[in-house]
Amino acid sequence: MNLANKITLARIFLVPVVMIFLLVRFDLGSVHLGQVTLKVSELVATLIFILAAVTDGLDGYIARKNKIVTNLGKFLDPLADKLLITAALISLVEMQRLEAWVAIVIISREFAVTGLRLIAVAEGYVIAASPLGKLKTIIQIVAIVSLMLNNVPFSIFSFPFANIATVLAVAITIISGLDYFYKNRKIVALTKSEQ
């Protein structure tokens, strides 16, 4: 197993660690910032989540630079991304920092695009990540981090950054999903005509 795949696997193993620090009631103390109290365990979970998110670009960069792109890596990388985002969203719903419908919209889009990619592979096509898809991932990560931190430091100034980032994440998630389907409508039409 090459270095890029090991990094991807590490990202997968960090997913339950993030959830544990977010959802298990560790008494590691808390930090008071203005009217917001943030648990140290939530800070730790956020740092681990950021570390895991950063490895998303790192593993792909290493694989391409060293020409060690493998089928295992192509399978594990998107799986790791989806596990990380999905676990964080579900944890935030459990923590009552995110509305369930937001998580459902984002997760549903991931299932839909994954299904589209499976159809494309069956037809002999490969759907590469689009610029909108990459932007979607970045905005989702920013929104998740701001929600994990309970809008700190923006809460000190009563600025609803987390809410704005969440709205943007939902919007770009829907737009990028529609973009994938529109740009690959011929693949969907082709499979329908053959059924």
Side-chain angles (χ1 to χ4, degrees), residues 16-94:
V17 178
V18 170
M19 291 186 75
I20 287 168
F21 276 100
L22 281 178
L23 300 177
V24 176
R25 296 183 179 182
F26 290 112
D27 188 14
L28 302 176
S30 56
V31 179
H32 303 284
L33 297 165
Q35 297 177 348
V36 177
T37 300
L38 201 60
K39 295 178 183 174
V40 172
S41 57
E42 293 170 356
L43 285 171
V44 172
T46 305
L47 291 173
I48 295 169
F49 177 83
I50 292 169
L51 173 66
V54 168
T55 66
D56 178 24
L58 182 63
D59 56 6
Y61 172 77
I62 290 171
R64 287 186 299 274
K65 182 182 176 188
N66 297 317
K67 297 179 181 176
I68 52 172
V69 176
T70 64
N71 286 333
L72 178 63
K74 289 177 185 177
F75 168 73
L76 286 178
D77 187 55
L79 175 66
D81 299 343
K82 286 168 181 52
L83 286 173
L84 182 64
I85 296 294
T86 301
L89 291 172
I90 292 170
S91 297
L92 288 166
V93 169
E94 173 68 20

